[in-house]
Amino acid sequence: MDIGSDMKLFDPQRRLLETLEPTRVVGQVASASGSAVGVSDFPAPMGASCRILRGRRSVEAQVIGFDADRALVMPLGSIDGVRLGDSVELGLRQHALPVGPALLGRVVDALGRPMDGGPAPRCEELAPIWPRPIEPMQRRRITQPMPTGIRAIDAMMTVGRGQRMGIFSGSGVGKSVLMGMLARSSAADVTVIALIGERGREVRDFVEKDLGPEGLKRSVVVASTGDGPPPLRVQAGATATAIAEHFRDRGCDVLLLMDSLTRLAWAQRQIGLAAGEPPATKGYTPSVLDLLPRLLERCGRTASGSITGFYTVLLEGDDMSEPVADAIRAVTDGHILLSRDLGDLGHYPAVDILRSVSRVMGDVADAEHRAAAREIHKLAAMHSQVEDLVNIGAYQFGVNEGNDLAIQAMPKIREFLAQAIAERATFEKTRAGLLELVRQVGLMRKRPVGKPAQPAWIGRT
């Protein structure tokens, strides 16, 4: 008899027992200020879950801090009806989540409860929502590309399996549409999508319109809308990551999409302010900057599988230097900037290739691919320097051969980078198309010297 394999059968029960307190701990409501409730005689650890008992009903809550001799808890629901002296009972030291293949095709909330009207997923395993971090030397190097099915990304900023990418843009520039394209078209085995702080109607819109039945079939959607309590919005990000870790540990290449990381940071700021943290830059508390790397570092490649993360970042006033955007850009392995100017021109996806970068492209794309991408990047940069002159008709052809070539090549470059929402571009076709584009540009370069014909689109605004 193999005792080791028999003991593994009890792993789910063992993990659950590790989250339980050995004794029953009960405190009393002593105060309430804003969204925080003070509880006396309640020696509960930070992050623990608890229940505020209101007669025959109860409301779930989470310990967020301490004030003198009181524990501060934030309810995960309405606190209407909570009174002084109500009992508060400690539950789990840390949240555990039922996980398994039954989650595929489902929409659940931050606690793993179904939101799609179906029965509760039958999952036999439990996973901690905040597990121990992966040791640095247990991580594998990122050496393989993760095809996204989007030409602009695969050609110009190739992503690797296990990479973390930020998608930065202002509101209304196409983040959700891009996320839907990634979910439907990527080469991942499983996709986990976290919708954090969204409007209630947008959850169903994303699932039915942007994701669609094809994308949902191999996906898990975790949603926490903007009208929910801040702890649930933060936990939604951790829950989605825990689900992704479960599939990664079973040999899958997982795509984790989180929309939006900015709203998660806003929720943590609310929690920090309620717990008495001092506000720092633009009101963000220190716990926000501590939370972001804890969450993002859980992506990566291990001996079992990989988690490739895309995190949308909402820019306030399209400002890339605001505190949260700056902190996220420092943690991720690259970023994709969506340009409002490109969106206004009807160019989708509105990826600004000049201000986007993948820090692992050198490890996952071959030399020919990288050289072609550099050539296109160079031409786009030269065009950007003279675009204003071209638009007002003040550019003089024949003065600079490089600029002349960039102006002639730009329509073909934009045509290559634009992509319909329902179109899926395989990695092989994207690479071949990039090399063919560079070949066509080379033919333009070999044309006889002289004033080139001015393209028809020049001068249009």
Side-chain angles (χ1 to χ4, degrees):
M1 182 177 65
D2 189 351
I3 298 178
S5 60
D6 288 345
M7 291 300 293
K8 289 182 180 179
L9 296 174
F10 298 97
D11 281 351
Q13 289 76 16
R14 177 178 55 80
R15 285 194 290 268
L16 177 60
L17 289 172
E18 288 175 351
T19 68
L20 295 173
E21 284 288 347
T23 57
R24 185 169 181 262
V25 178
V26 179
Q28 290 80 40
V29 172
S31 63
S33 177
S35 56
V37 175
V39 185
S40 60
D41 301 322
F42 195 57
M46 279 285 293
S49 64
C50 55
R51 289 180 297 276
I52 302 175
L53 306 178
R54 302 179 297 181
R56 296 183 178 180
R57 296 189 300 166
S58 63
V59 57
E60 298 291 325
Q62 183 178 359
V63 179
I64 62 169
F66 307 99
D67 181 16
D69 59 345
R70 295 176 181 175
L72 297 176
V73 305
M74 183 168 282
L76 305 183
S78 172
I79 61 173
D80 292 345
V82 172
R83 297 175 296 184
L84 285 173
D86 280 348
S87 296
V88 182
E89 187 177 59
L90 181 62
L92 303 177
R93 287 189 307 227
Q94 59 174 316
H95 296 279
L97 177 77
V99 290
L103 287 170
L104 292 173
R106 302 300 305 273
V107 182
V108 298
D109 66 8
L111 300 176
R113 300 173 301 196
M115 299 180 68
D116 51 11
R122 300 187 64 179
C123 302
E124 298 180 355
E125 296 188 55
L126 288 171
I129 291 180
W130 291 102
R132 293 179 181 177
I134 303 172
E135 294 294 335
M137 296 307 294
Q138 292 179 351
R139 295 177 179 270
R140 298 294 180 93
R141 292 186 62 241
I142 299 173
T143 57
Q144 299 175 338
M146 167 60 80
T148 65
I150 300 173
R151 272 194 301 272
I153 297 175
D154 288 345
M156 303 302 298
M157 56 216 70
T158 312
V159 176
R161 297 180 189 271
Q163 186 175 354
R164 299 160 300 186
M165 290 287 281
I167 301 176
F168 293 75
S169 84
S171 58
V173 189
K175 293 188 301 299
S176 296
V177 173
L178 182 61
M179 296 282 273
M181 293 175 69
L182 286 167
R184 292 191 306 271
S185 303
S186 79
D189 301 317
V190 174
T191 303
V192 181
I193 305 163
L195 302 177
I196 302 171
E198 296 282 0
R199 302 177 187 90
R201 68 165 182 83
E202 290 179 336
V203 174
R204 186 161 193 165
D205 280 354
F206 179 86
V207 171
E208 296 184 357
K209 184 177 70 173
D210 296 325
L211 187 58
E214 178 188 353
L216 182 60
K217 186 166 55 177
R218 59 170 185 157
S219 301
V220 183
V221 179
V222 181
S224 179
T225 54
D227 58 349
L232 281 186
R233 277 176 270 155
V234 173
Q235 187 165 315
T239 295
T241 308
I243 294 171
E245 287 168 332
H246 166 78
F247 287 105
R248 177 203 62 195
D249 293 342
R250 276 135 193 87
C252 296
D253 288 317
V254 183
L255 180 67
L256 174 62
L257 306 175
M258 195 170 294
D259 184 18
S260 86
L261 195 55
T262 305
R263 293 192 179 101
L264 185 146
W266 291 348
Q268 182 60 40
R269 176 172 60 182
Q270 288 180 263
I271 296 172
L273 292 174
E277 284 188 70
T281 308
K282 288 195 175 181
Y284 287 101
T285 57
S287 61
V288 175
L289 302 182
D290 175 65
L291 174 67
L292 293 175
R294 282 179 59 207
L295 188 63
L296 270 63
E297 281 289 344
R298 292 167 64 179
C299 284
R301 185 171 172 231
T302 66
S304 303
S306 68
I307 301 176
T308 305
F310 284 85
Y311 302 86
T312 67
V313 183
L314 183 63
L315 298 178
E316 298 181 15
D318 294 344
D319 181 13
M320 280 284 283
S321 63
E322 64 98 15
V324 169
D326 202 40
I328 294 170
R329 198 165 61 249
V331 178
T332 53
D333 305 313
H335 56 272
I336 298 168
L337 178 68
L338 302 185
S339 165
R340 190 175 298 277
D341 290 338
L342 286 175
D344 290 343
L345 291 171
H347 179 102
Y348 290 103
V351 176
D352 186 340
I353 63 172
L354 295 180
R355 300 176 65 189
S356 305
V357 65
S358 167
R359 296 193 181 104
V360 304
M361 184 174 178
D363 297 323
V364 300
D366 60 65
E368 191 176 22
H369 184 159
R370 297 197 305 272
R374 282 196 299 270
E375 178 67 16
I376 299 303
H377 190 280
K378 175 183 174 182
L379 289 170
M382 295 174 69
H383 179 268
S384 70
Q385 294 174 356
V386 298
E387 186 174 14
D388 290 340
L389 292 176
V390 172
N391 288 336
I392 64 174
Y395 179 78
Q396 296 296 319
F397 285 94
V399 176
N400 185 299
E401 184 180 351
N403 288 340
D404 292 348
L405 178 63
I407 293 170
Q408 285 185 310
M410 203 59 198
K412 287 188 175 295
I413 293 174
R414 285 177 171 163
E415 182 181 358
F416 172 74
L417 296 176
Q419 186 171 339
I421 293 175
E423 181 185 356
R424 178 179 181 179
T426 65
F427 189 79
E428 293 75 17
K429 288 185 177 180
T430 293
R431 182 184 179 279
L434 177 65
L435 298 181
E436 174 61 20
L437 176 62
V438 172
R439 188 189 71 81
Q440 292 177 7
V441 170
L443 293 176
M444 293 179 185
R445 194 188 302 274
K446 295 176 182 178
R447 288 175 182 168
V449 178
K451 182 176 178 178
Q454 183 165 306
W457 59 272
I458 291 178
R460 295 178 184 174
T461 58

